[in-house]
Amino acid sequence: MAAALALALASGGRRTLLVEVEGRQGIAQLFDTAPLPYEERKIAVAPGGGEVRALAVDAEAALLEYFELFYRLGMAGRTLRRMGAVEFATTLAPGLRDVLLTGKVKECVNRRDRDGRPVYDAVVLDAPPTGRVVSFLDVTKAMADLARTGPIHSQAEGVVQVLHSPLTAVHLVTLLEDLPVTETLETVDELTAAGFPTGAVFVNRVRPRWLPDRSVAAAAGGRVDAGRIRTGLASAGLDLPADVLDGLVAETVEHAVRVHGEAAALGRLEDATALPRLELPELMDGVDLGSLYELAETLCEQGVGAALTEVSP
Amino acid sequence: MSPRPAPAMDVDALLDDPDTRIVVCCGSGGVGKTTTSAALAIRAAERGRRTVVLTIDPARRLAQALGMEALGNEPGRVAAADGRLHAMMLDMRRTFDEMVHAHAEPDRAEAIIANPFYQTISTSFSGTQEYMAMEKLGQLAGTGEWDLIVVDTPPSRSALDFLDAPQRMSTFLDGRMIRLLSAPARAGGRSLRKLVGAGFSLFAKAVSTILGGQLLADASAFVQAFDTMFGGFRERAAATYALLRSPGTAFLVVAAPEPDALREAAYFVDRLSDEEMPLAGLVLNRTHPVLADLSETKARAVADGLRSAPLAAAVLRLHADRVDLAEREERLLSRFTGAHPGVAVARVPVVAGDIADLDGLRAVGERLARAADADEVLAGTLRSAR
């Protein structure tokens, strides 16, 4: 999702940065490249001549980067990392990890070229899942764990400034299922309460609804007019044995239950939030590089615009 | 050349075998582990075994169905299977508290629990949940009250966390690091100091500058208080680990027919075999088998010509989509079985709608068990539906 957004935002000659923070190397898999180092790399060309760069932020590397900057650790840094000392420090204060990760994102957002223009037109952060995203972004809480002064503290203050400003939009990605919709709605409330600018709700993996609307509720309750189906099929010269027809009816009921559930989930989204909503189709063959471009195009068609930092869990 | 189809898993035989004492359901998040665990437990209990299911973070309605909402951190009886089924929900914090009380003198235990740092580690340290699940499993097995213990594993991104987290936690608690950080001059020994040299003192200084002295002091006090009971902790963790490797344990790797979930499942299968842990098979949840023997191309072609019968056309199109989906799922599965040909598989067709009560769980159990004879039929239908 974040990747498609980064592509969409890069189209027409812009430059975007796609950032992942959970060490999954999901970007590399998606774009079919070697695992990303802790370094910005160009990974794709967008339609109309833009470019997408990617960065896998790693908290330990970010911490060492700081130490290097402020304390000149030299070679010892690597040894410490091997010993697990760096992991230990980030474990000790879970908030530190988040400050380090979001801090790197902030640095990318604020970076300027020699003419003073932002290096990136947009930075898209593939954030942790909805359940954890607010605590991840809300570094003010994390700062309670940390010292009141020093480089990390000012770093955290900078993060708060960027993430709570109109530069940022937090988008939420959901499926049309009960639990994901509930989590999404809860997260929208939490984000608003914590003062984050919310963006859009992306409904992912929307599947075709084939049944006529008026038939859905009845079919979901198991009432399918098998006779009408048989007549309809026969009118096209298709005479099916009874067991095949039964199978079709069973598949129809399952389809209807799903569509019915999805409609209810959509209704809950509509009732509870006024955020703009974008839909992305289910990709039958899974997501690969080609389909990513299709998704990006779908997003452009639905009017994806320009915010500077995009956060999408 | 198409790979040999995976052997079908006989779930009932596994559950009925009196030598099966522990079933561990593992897999990445969101694949239906909790539902699978609960369904297996009900089925085992209804087939006559005294069963307890340890769930980690059940959806609210599932917890209600099992009557677990009011329960504490101990197994409670479920209104099913003539009282042979008990269920419990892991309460991480309470399990940790109980452990501390069991291993430390009363005043020391109080000191540990009152330490602010204990709050962090007992609730939000990644790994605590896995560690406590292991501990609870050890306790349940220790009572000897149960014929069968079914364990759900904590929701995590990676299935491997279940095996790795306790180790991570041990490393954290064994106190070497914290001693190094709080008093680098005294701890660690000469060799280590030589190794990292002045860098370490700088690092320690940097860490305390960043984290603040108070946090480090709390952590240090915590680890010191914890030190005396750490041996006991580690012994128990080792005992549970041995239990997991014993022949009475069966691991079920749970996955959904999605690339990521199956990739995780494959990692986990490899890992189990490295650790010599007994794998019973792969549960592939929420599959969409084709139910009607009609080819996809034919269905689409007829649907395109059916202007006057919208319902029939819709039925044909949704059937054609379903054939596509079933093919995709089989393709994903065959990639897995190609790399792991010996692993038995149980496909569990999707149950439409939410599973919100005991009957829903029974239906899932039924599908799990039926996988053994249904596979052949399904494969046949899919072939001819192409």
Side-chain angles (χ1 to χ4, degrees), chain B residues 114-289:
Chain B
N115 188 306
F117 189 66
Y118 177 74
Q119 311 284 332
T120 310
I121 196 147
S122 65
T123 53
S124 60
F125 179 64
S126 67
T128 304
Q129 212 173 24
E130 285 83 357
Y131 198 97
M132 291 305 133
M134 289 261 204
E135 165 67 18
K136 204 72 204 177
L137 170 62
Q139 287 176 13
L140 290 172
T143 64
E145 278 178 46
W146 314 101
D147 298 336
L148 180 68
I149 305 170
V150 181
V151 192
D152 175 22
T153 53
S156 60
R157 195 195 79 221
S158 155
L160 297 176
D161 281 355
F162 182 63
L163 294 177
D164 291 336
Q167 182 53 43
R168 211 162 56 226
M169 181 136 179
S170 285
T171 313
F172 184 78
L173 289 176
D174 84 356
R176 194 174 65 134
M177 273 302 159
I178 194 82
R179 274 194 294 273
L180 278 171
L181 283 180
S182 47
R186 275 181 287 123
R190 200 171 302 150
S191 58
L192 186 64
R193 263 207 314 285
K194 213 190 278 169
L195 194 66
V196 286
F200 198 89
S201 326
L202 266 173
F203 174 78
K205 195 169 136 250
V207 168
S208 67
T209 315
I210 288 169
L211 298 181
Q214 190 54 43
L215 183 87
L216 219 51
D218 287 346
S220 175
F222 171 76
V223 172
Q224 270 163 26
F226 206 78
D227 213 25
T228 48
M229 50 183 285
F230 186 73
F233 257 54
R234 192 149 48 185
E235 263 167 43
R236 291 183 69 99
T240 311
Y241 211 70
L243 189 66
L244 290 178
R245 291 177 62 169
S246 72
T249 299
F251 278 88
L252 286 179
V253 178
V254 185
E258 300 286 341
D260 291 351
L262 278 164
R263 194 180 311 122
E264 279 297 323
Y267 290 149
F268 202 79
V269 166
D270 292 341
R271 179 66 189 276
L272 286 175
S273 108
D274 287 350
E275 307 265 340
E276 295 171 33
M277 288 184 168
L279 170 70
L282 173 78
V283 173
L284 191 64
N285 269 336
R286 295 188 222 126
T287 61
H288 296 81

Side-chain angles (χ1 to χ4, degrees), chain A residues 192-306:
Chain A
T192 313
F196 287 102
T198 41
V201 174
F202 291 81
V203 179
N204 204 2
R205 305 179 65 173
V206 174
R207 292 172 292 187
R209 299 146 212 171
W210 292 116
L211 288 176
D213 285 347
R214 58 178 189 285
S215 313
V216 170
R223 292 187 303 283
V224 176
D225 190 344
R228 210 161 98 226
I229 297 174
R230 191 187 314 111
T231 324
L233 294 177
S235 76
L238 191 61
D239 283 308
L240 295 175
D243 63 324
V244 177
L245 202 63
D246 288 348
L248 288 177
V249 168
E251 289 178 357
T252 305
V253 172
E254 285 188 16
H255 177 86
V257 169
R258 194 202 84 208
V259 171
H260 198 57
E262 289 176 351
L266 197 60
R268 287 176 60 210
L269 274 181
E270 269 170 359
D271 291 347
T273 161
L275 295 181
R277 204 174 55 240
L278 286 84
E279 296 196 355
L280 289 164
E282 160 99 320
L283 298 169
M284 197 53 92
D285 295 315
V287 182
D288 59 16
L289 199 49
S291 53
L292 211 52
Y293 280 93
E294 282 172 38
L295 288 180
E297 202 173 306
T298 316
L299 286 174
C300 288
E301 282 162 13
Q302 295 180 59
V304 162

Side-chain angles (χ1 to χ4, degrees), chain B residues 283-343:
Chain B
V283 173
L284 191 64
N285 269 336
R286 295 188 222 126
T287 61
H288 296 81
V290 174
L291 305 177
D293 188 359
L294 174 67
S295 88
E296 185 233 334
T297 30
K298 176 110 193 219
R300 287 203 203 281
V302 176
D304 287 344
L306 262 179
R307 303 232 184 280
S308 56
L311 179 62
V315 169
L316 288 173
R317 290 207 170 91
L318 69 88
H319 169 73
D321 277 2
R322 181 141 177 159
V323 177
D324 274 349
L325 184 58
E327 277 184 25
R328 171 181 183 224
E329 292 175 353
E330 287 302 316
R331 214 162 44 233
L332 288 170
L333 179 61
S334 72
R335 224 183 283 163
F336 173 90
T337 51
H340 302 88
V343 178

